[in-house]
């Protein structure tokens, strides 16, 4: 099994850019997906295949990958972006799913 | 529009069995493109994958829960179920059901979640 490492918290001023990372030694061979969860709500898929965005998700949200680290970037951050963000991968060989520990995004 | 709805008791006694059902509407559970899964979230904590089910009955479980978990399907009712035995307070969580694309494994539709508290 493996662990996806996310920073517990990220703080950013309104209008600035937030970057949330997700790292794991073997992530290179796996697609990374991202979810946003607001208090009291179910998670919502905001990015898949590392950098593909569902049609209902704002263009201000983008995803990227460099080696063993995936990054979710939110530009022109607004108060409505405050939420917990989780990365997730799927291990093809075992068909197991792993979630990162989550990152709380705070808009200052 | 696909919808998933969890149902089941909100309170379970320690050492007993937690049982939840996820009713799928707006689409068929008999799809070769998707798994159906359970994910839980203890209060104030992160998401934990419990397991996945294919409509034929094939299952995959989180190794940390495998000895206590059973996920089953009822295709005639378009629903699937979770059983977790020998529960303790550590199993108190919001339980979500969700649809998972087989490859590359993203969860694209989620139920609203149901809180299950383990307490005597």
């Amino acid at each position: 099994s493996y662990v996806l490492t996310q920073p517990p918290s990220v703080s950013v001023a309104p209008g600035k850019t937030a970057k949330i990372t997700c790292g794991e030694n073997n992530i290179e061979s796996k697609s990374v997906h991202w979810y946003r969860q607001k208090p009291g709500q179910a998670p919502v898929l905001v990015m898949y295949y590392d950098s593909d965005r569902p049609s209902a998700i704002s263009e201000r949200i983008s995803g990227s990958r460099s080696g063993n680290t995936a990054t979710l970037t939110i530009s022109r951050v607004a108060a409505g972006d405050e939420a917990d963000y989780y990365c997730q991968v799927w291990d093809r060989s075992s068909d197991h799913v792993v979630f990162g520990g989550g990152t709380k995004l705070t808009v200052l | 529009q696909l919808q998933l709805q969890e149902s089941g008791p909100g309170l379970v006694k320690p050492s007993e069995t937690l049982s939840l059902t996820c009713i799928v509407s707006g689409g068929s559970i008999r799809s070769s493109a998707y798994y159906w899964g359970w994910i839980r979230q203890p209060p104030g904590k992160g998401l934990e994958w419990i397991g996945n089910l294919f409509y034929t009955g094939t299952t995959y479980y989180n190794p940390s829960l495998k000895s206590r978990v059973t996920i089953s399907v009822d295709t005639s009712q378009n629903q699937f179920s979770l059983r977790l035995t020998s529960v303790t307070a550590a199993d108190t969580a919001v339980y979500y059901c969700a649809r998972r694309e087989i490859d590359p494994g993203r969860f694209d539709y989620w139920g609203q979640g149901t809180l299950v508290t383990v307490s005597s």
Side-chain angles (χ1 to χ4, degrees), chain A:
Chain A
S1 95
Y2 46 88
V3 175
L4 298 179
T5 302
Q6 296 183 238
S9 63
V10 168
S11 299
V12 63
K16 300 300 185 182
T17 298
K19 290 183 181 291
I20 300 171
T21 57
C22 175
E24 197 277 329
N25 285 343
N26 293 320
I27 205 174
E28 229 167 358
S29 61
K30 304 176 182 65
S31 293
V32 179
H33 316 301
W34 291 91
Y35 303 86
R36 176 181 65 206
Q37 186 182 35
K38 296 187 176 181
Q41 297 182 17
V44 172
L45 181 71
V46 296
M47 198 65 56
Y48 60 98
Y49 283 118
D50 301 339
S51 58
D52 285 351
R53 187 177 51 246
S55 58
I57 300 302
S58 169
E59 293 180 352
R60 296 185 298 106
I61 299 178
S62 61
S64 62
R65 167 94 72 93
S66 177
N68 289 322
T69 301
T71 301
L72 185 73
T73 300
I74 306 171
S75 59
R76 302 185 303 282
V77 166
D81 296 317
E82 276 205 343
D84 294 324
Y85 291 83
Y86 294 91
C87 61
Q88 177 242 317
V89 300
W90 164 61
D91 185 331
R92 184 186 301 271
S93 62
S94 65
D95 215 303
H96 289 171
V97 169
V98 178
F99 287 96
T103 298
K104 181 176 183 61
L105 175 64
T106 299
V107 180
L108 301 172

Side-chain angles (χ1 to χ4, degrees), chain B residues 35-84:
Chain B
Y35 283 154
W36 305 90
W38 289 96
I39 301 104
R40 71 179 183 178
Q41 185 173 35
K45 296 188 178 181
L47 301 170
E48 180 181 30
W49 172 69
I50 298 172
N52 294 329
L53 166 90
F54 192 58
Y55 79 93
T56 57
T58 300
T59 52
Y60 300 92
Y61 299 131
N62 186 324
S64 68
L65 297 169
K66 186 175 182 179
S67 63
R68 299 193 293 130
V69 171
T70 302
I71 298 176
S72 59
V73 65
D74 184 344
T75 55
S76 67
Q77 298 295 316
N78 218 39
Q79 63 186 38
F80 60 105
S81 299
L82 169 71
R83 291 182 74 250
L84 182 66

